[in-house]
Amino acid sequence: LKLDPATIILFGATGDLSRRKLFPALFNLFKREMLPPSFAIIGVARRDFSQETFREFVLQALKEFGGYQAHDEQQWNSFCAHLNYAQVNLTEAEHYEKLREVVEQRESEKDIPQNRAFYLAIAPELFSSVSANLKNSRLVETDGWKRLLIEKPFGHDRSSAEKLNREIRAVFEEEEIYRIDHYLGKEMVQNIEVIRFANSLFEPLWNNKYIANVQITSSETVGVEDRGGYYEQAGALRDMAQNHMLQMLMMIAMEPPSSLQKEATRDEKVKVLRSLRTYSVDEVKDHIIRGQYTRFGEYKGYREEEDVDPSSMTDTFVAARLFVDNFRWAGVPFYIRTGKRMPLKSTEIVVEFKNVPENLYFNQHGNLEPNLLSIRIFPYEGIYFKINAKKPGTDGSVSPIAVDFCQNCEGGVNSPEAYERLLHDCLGGDSTYFTRWDEVALAWDFIDPISTAFKEDKVELVSYSAGSWGPPKESHQLLEQNGFHWWPVG
Ligand code: BG6
């Protein structure tokens, strides 16, 4: 990617996301010479920081959250020269005039053409007003390009998402909007496409004739931490399923893109959502499990967490059976599950193949295990393929062997963080791994009846002990109804 000189205007520069992810990502890109030839970063927030305090704040963030190593002093000093701070109260229109002056001043000092990336790492309630202010203050009137990077959540249902979209579209064109789903920046999520379409091995089998089911898991060990207020509104359904889980499903189920040019991949992904079977409010209970963690040992229950209603009905776990009703996938269940306070932090996709038509062999339990392809996204990055082979020294006894490729197991292979890749792509104008508006809209169409069913209590809220794999019976039954079971992950 060719990167034009540009200015990054980072709203929410003192927030958690900036500290934990964005500054480390920017510094790492800088060290790898993957930022534009000339650039400026302008941190925007409300705190009364001097330039020095801001730089010190960023340095602390790098030390705490990675990016800064002992021998990085020189690199840091040169990075620092690109960093500036602008104190802005985001709801005050006049403050944006001041911000424009800061931006213009930096551009002229550093001879940067007016290419501006506005990153909104702020509370979603502010998305609309900040974009309106960017317009009114003419910050978006540039001679070069302008781009908007925006974090989730993008609305809380279809109609709020539409409203938000109209508001930001009054300022930015769709091609200028980079909606972040950080799962799309993960090495192995991007690798799904390559594994599928760069090998002749899998693609002929990648359909309902040979695949029995697909299981997509993203489990977390943490609870809601200090995000109770947000999570009460979101639940696992909106926090994870609407975006990350559906994105992984699209990558697994899409048709090969016509090229790697602009829009080709997103065109294919969105078709998956068009074929995704939506459930009516009454059907939801047959396909979706809704869970909430309760206290186990030292782990608090969800209702005991800070900023959580003691009688909260929020889902901290969801599992679902999905169908992509198209030619390739008719009849193949896709199971997804995600939750907080589970035993492992793991993101993994298991593709289970159908059995051979006539089985001549047996293993010690009498039956042959199916072939499995695991795409491991976190903590391992790699693939694992389970095939059956003869057990040495026996007649027809078979045991599974694993063909295992782990790209981060050996050290040395240090794949860039999701945010590094996404920032770099945006600066290079490549929106492939960002969520397009039609994806957002269709994802909400699928999610909305589920939220309604939850709200109307049409799906039982089942509790699970903190540290377990979700409601044991219900989660198990979801697959058992089709003759399957969850394969272990992690
Ligand atoms: C975020 C959710 O989008 O993804 C968080 O809001 C969740 O609740 C996080 O913890 C998980 O991301 P990752 O990359 O750690 O799997």
Side-chain angles (χ1 to χ4, degrees), residues 21 151-152 181-183 186 218-220 222-225 227 230-231 234-235 238-240 243-244 340 345-347 377-378 417-419:
K21 300 284 184 191
E151 281 289 331
K152 74 174 231 293
D181 183 309
H182 76 281
Y183 269 53
K186 291 184 190 257
S218 187
S219 58
E220 294 189 83
V222 293
V224 284
E225 304 180 283
R227 296 161 76 220
Y230 152 76
Y231 201 83
R238 291 192 177 96
D239 187 47
M240 296 287 294
N243 36 75
H244 310 321
K340 300 275 185 200
K345 168 100 180 142
S346 167
T347 302
I377 297 162
F378 189 88
E417 264 270 332
Y419 276 98

Side-chain angles (χ1 to χ4, degrees), residues 132-172:
N133 278 318
L134 290 178
K135 184 172 184 173
N136 298 337
S137 62
R138 305 194 329 277
L139 262 158
V140 288
E141 284 172 26
T142 72
D143 294 340
W145 50 252
K146 62 175 192 296
R147 291 177 191 147
L148 178 75
L149 285 129
I150 186 166
E151 281 289 331
K152 74 174 231 293
F154 203 87
H156 54 88
D157 58 10
R158 168 79 188 237
S159 74
S160 57
E162 273 178 359
K163 178 166 176 286
L164 172 60
N165 205 47
R166 269 196 306 276
E167 288 160 350
I168 61 174
R169 283 295 311 278
V171 187
F172 294 90

